Each structure stands twice: as C-alpha cells, then as structure tokens.
Amino acid sequence: MSWRNHYSEKRDFIRMSVNTEASLVIESHTLSLTCIDLSTTGARLICHADSGLEAGQQGVVTISSGGGTTTPLVADASVVRVSRTENESEDIAVTLTNLR
C-alpha cells in the first residue's frame, strides 16, 4: 500500500514544517525571509516587509540548515504566489527548479 494512502494531505511530496532563515536573490536584490515549510519541489517563505515580488519572477533561494555541519540548501527558484497574511507579512510560494 502506498504512503499516500495514509498521508492526509495526499501530495506528491511530503511538506515538512520548518522555521529557519532564508534569503531570496532576484535581480541583485536580496530579501531576508523565514522558510516555514519545504518539500522536494517547493518552499513557503514569509517576508516581514513589502517584497515587491510577483508571480513568475526567478532567482536563487538559500535556506539555512539550522547550523551544524549541514550546508544550506541553495536552489534556483520561481515565484508561484505572493499573498498578504493577517499580520501584514507576505506569504511567498516558490518552486525549486535546480539544486546547486
């Protein structure tokens, strides 16, 4: 029996909740973010300021491993969605297209 039969979200890739520092570089502009969840193909990031991002923009995301000897995840990213949260932050969804 498949793991998807037991997983309530029924996604192709399990989403892991994280709370770690991240950055997104688009056109030489660097945003400081918080990564709140991560899967094999994407990530959800929170920006506590107006990012000015729009869907379709592409850049490079770096997601901290939380320390130790594990290196950060660095990948090409494409912005899928930008929406406002209740506390005036921005919720940014990105697709990870190429691990570096």
Side-chain angles (χ1 to χ4, degrees):
M1 184 176 282
S2 169
W3 62 268
R4 288 174 31 163
N5 294 333
H6 297 289
Y7 188 62
S8 64
E9 198 171 341
K10 307 274 193 240
R11 297 172 54 88
D12 288 336
F13 301 100
I14 295 173
R15 186 183 317 189
M16 297 182 303
S17 293
V18 295
N19 184 18
T20 191
E21 294 177 5
S23 65
L24 179 62
V25 178
I26 295 182
E27 298 175 5
S28 74
H29 180 71
T30 303
L31 294 167
S32 294
L33 309 163
T34 302
C35 180
I36 59 171
D37 71 39
L38 181 64
S39 76
T40 302
T41 60
R44 235 172 89 220
L45 309 162
I46 296 294
C47 183
H48 299 288
D50 184 9
S51 69
L53 294 177
E54 297 178 359
Q57 288 183 291
Q58 297 184 357
V60 176
V61 68
T62 302
I63 301 172
S64 172
S65 67
T69 59
T70 305
T71 60
L73 180 145
V74 180
D76 294 333
S78 180
V79 177
V80 176
R81 180 185 68 251
V82 179
S83 58
R84 281 265 178 224
T85 65
E86 291 177 7
N87 63 1
E88 296 303 311
S89 296
E90 287 184 342
D91 188 328
I92 303 164
V94 297
T95 299
L96 305 177
T97 55
N98 182 41
L99 296 178
R100 293 182 172 207

